[in-house]
Amino acid sequence: MILNEQNLKKTLEQPLTAGVYYYFSTEEYLVRSYAAKTLARLAQQEEDAEVTRLEGPAPSIEEAVAAAGTISFFGTKRIVELALLEPAAMNDADVDALCDLLDSLENAVVVMTTVFKDDKAKGTKKAKKLIDAAQKAGVAAELMKPGPQDAKRFVMEKAKELNTRISNPAAADLIERCGTEFFALESEMEKLASMSGYTEITQELIARRGTQNIEANVFDMVRLVTARNKTGALHKLSQLFDLQNEPIAIAAALSGSFVDMYRVKCGMAAHRNYSAVHKDFAYRGSDYRLRKSGETASKYTRAQLEQILKVLMELDAALKSSAADEEVLLQLALCEIMQIGERR
């Protein structure tokens, strides 16, 4: 059977009786995590089980057959882990042989993982054949790419594991800076928890010692611009320069934020929400960025955003051709953008 993540968690709370557990996703952290949980549960159930681990992307099918087919003198289970295999890297004969193996297991459990590059890779003939074989023989679970709420739950759970507190606003700030990729969030949480002395990861600590992501820092500046906080916006710009960010990179990130707002604004006028805009313009990752842009865009008219984009085009040209002080050019552009936002 093919399970979603919620049903999979329930399944792993019960005794594991299936012969196959196949975890696939576009997110490596998820498949590694669930494979590790499954192997740990199997080890608890079968204390004397022998474990064979074969690495992908194209594991030796002969070794897998030998490991799974060996009958233990004491009748204990054989556990075979096929880690990070890639159907596309395997030839047709090996895929067929692996499917036959999954269909004929007697005294073995096979735990497999695959990280697909994208949905297209998951839909290939060899991938579908392997997923179908795993489904018939046991459990096949597709682990969906985490969204902002999934990432927030992960951060909260990780804080508990680290005996550290983190508020909802602080968790949101961390996700804005690091994205929803669990490996990055785990690493950042461990670093910040240590810096806090395992007390509390605050918004101030995240801003001061967290990963310095130019897009997140510029978006912080955009929020100050939108709030007409001229002093705060110019101070944030100064911080970006102190962090050795290139002026053209700052301008590009600033332009990107307002382009996102303009696209969402146009989408709303055409009765298309931010999720549709995310798809129409082929954004990668989650639509969290556009959702936040939609909230900010509500404070501007479309005409204002068009004027702001014109200012940013002129800024880009000036940065690339003028001998004027680059920080001054950016300061002037920010002030002009705030003046446009004040007009009604």
Side-chain angles (χ1 to χ4, degrees):
M1 53 184 165
I2 295 183
L3 301 179
N4 59 29
E5 196 167 355
Q6 184 176 3
N7 290 331
L8 175 60
K9 289 179 179 179
K10 294 179 181 178
T11 297
L12 294 181
E13 291 172 356
Q14 308 300 320
L16 303 186
T17 58
V20 176
Y21 294 88
Y22 185 26
Y23 304 122
F24 55 97
S25 176
T26 57
E27 295 295 308
E28 184 175 343
Y29 185 95
L30 294 176
V31 298
R32 283 185 180 274
S33 176
Y34 276 100
K37 291 175 184 177
T38 303
L39 291 166
R41 287 297 309 277
L42 289 169
Q44 288 177 345
Q45 292 179 195
E46 303 286 342
E47 294 184 2
D48 298 322
E50 295 183 48
V51 181
T52 300
R53 176 185 170 92
L54 300 176
E55 297 283 351
S60 168
I61 303 304
E62 291 78 8
E63 290 183 30
V65 170
T70 303
I71 303 298
S72 169
F73 180 78
F74 298 102
T76 54
K77 284 275 189 183
R78 303 280 300 185
I79 300 174
V80 182
E81 181 187 5
L82 303 180
L84 301 179
L85 62 86
E86 296 179 18
M90 302 167 64
N91 60 44
D92 290 330
D94 280 352
V95 171
D96 289 339
L98 180 53
C99 291
D100 289 341
L101 173 63
L102 300 182
D103 188 48
S104 60
L105 295 172
E106 293 184 5
N107 197 48
V109 180
V110 176
V111 180
M112 306 190 302
T113 55
T114 295
V115 179
F116 288 111
K117 180 181 178 181
D118 50 33
D119 288 339
K120 183 178 179 181
K122 184 186 67 179
T124 62
K125 182 179 178 181
K126 286 187 283 191
K128 285 182 177 179
K129 184 179 288 187
L130 197 54
I131 292 169
D132 288 344
Q135 177 188 1
K136 292 175 183 175
V139 171
E142 180 176 9
L143 306 172
M144 303 305 292
K145 184 179 179 66
Q149 290 305 314
D150 301 311
K152 184 175 285 189
R153 282 192 292 272
F154 176 80
V155 166
M156 293 298 187
E157 290 170 4
K158 185 58 62 175
K160 289 180 181 178
E161 289 178 18
L162 296 168
N163 295 316
T164 307
R165 298 185 304 278
I166 185 168
S167 67
N168 278 314
D173 285 355
L174 184 64
I175 292 164
E176 278 192 29
R177 288 179 178 276
C178 296
T180 58
E181 207 278 318
F182 283 6
F183 276 127
L185 288 172
E186 181 179 54
S187 175
E188 194 72 358
M189 284 293 292
E190 289 173 350
K191 179 187 79 177
L192 293 173
S194 176
M195 289 179 173
S196 76
Y198 299 96
T199 54
E200 182 177 5
I201 298 173
T202 63
Q203 289 177 282
E204 180 185 2
L205 178 63
I206 291 168
R208 182 166 46 89
R209 304 299 296 274
T211 295
Q212 297 300 322
N213 179 301
I214 186 169
E215 284 79 12
N217 281 326
V218 168
F219 197 77
D220 287 343
M221 185 170 69
V222 169
R223 282 189 289 208
L224 292 167
V225 168
T226 304
R228 321 291 189 255
N229 185 342
K230 189 177 295 184
T231 301
L234 293 174
H235 178 65
K236 191 67 181 181
L237 177 61
S238 178
Q239 288 180 329
L240 285 165
F241 276 103
D242 289 342
L243 291 168
Q244 304 300 310
N245 289 296
E246 290 293 330
I248 290 178
I250 296 171
L254 185 61
S255 296
S257 289
F258 280 98
V259 166
D260 288 343
M261 289 185 224
Y262 185 69
R263 286 174 172 172
V264 173
K265 199 75 172 181
C266 291
M268 292 170 63
H271 306 291
R272 296 182 66 77
N273 62 19
Y274 60 83
S275 296
V277 173
H278 183 274
K279 183 178 180 180
D280 290 342
F281 286 93
Y283 283 85
R284 294 184 178 181
S286 85
D287 56 15
Y288 179 74
R289 165 180 165 182
L290 282 186
R291 179 154 56 88
K292 298 298 289 184
S293 294
E295 294 171 3
T296 309
S298 65
K299 299 178 182 178
Y300 295 95
T301 66
R302 193 162 75 174
Q304 285 175 318
L305 289 171
E306 288 171 354
Q307 290 176 334
I308 289 170
L309 290 178
K310 183 179 178 182
V311 169
L312 290 168
M313 285 178 62
E314 292 170 352
L315 169 65
D316 181 69
L319 287 172
K320 293 175 180 177
S321 62
S322 172
D325 185 282
E326 293 170 329
E327 186 167 359
V328 171
L329 288 173
L330 275 160
Q331 289 172 342
L332 290 171
L334 282 184
C335 292
E336 191 170 352
I337 288 169
M338 282 186 275
Q339 286 178 344
I340 291 170
E342 291 170 355
R343 299 171 194 159
R344 288 294 177 184

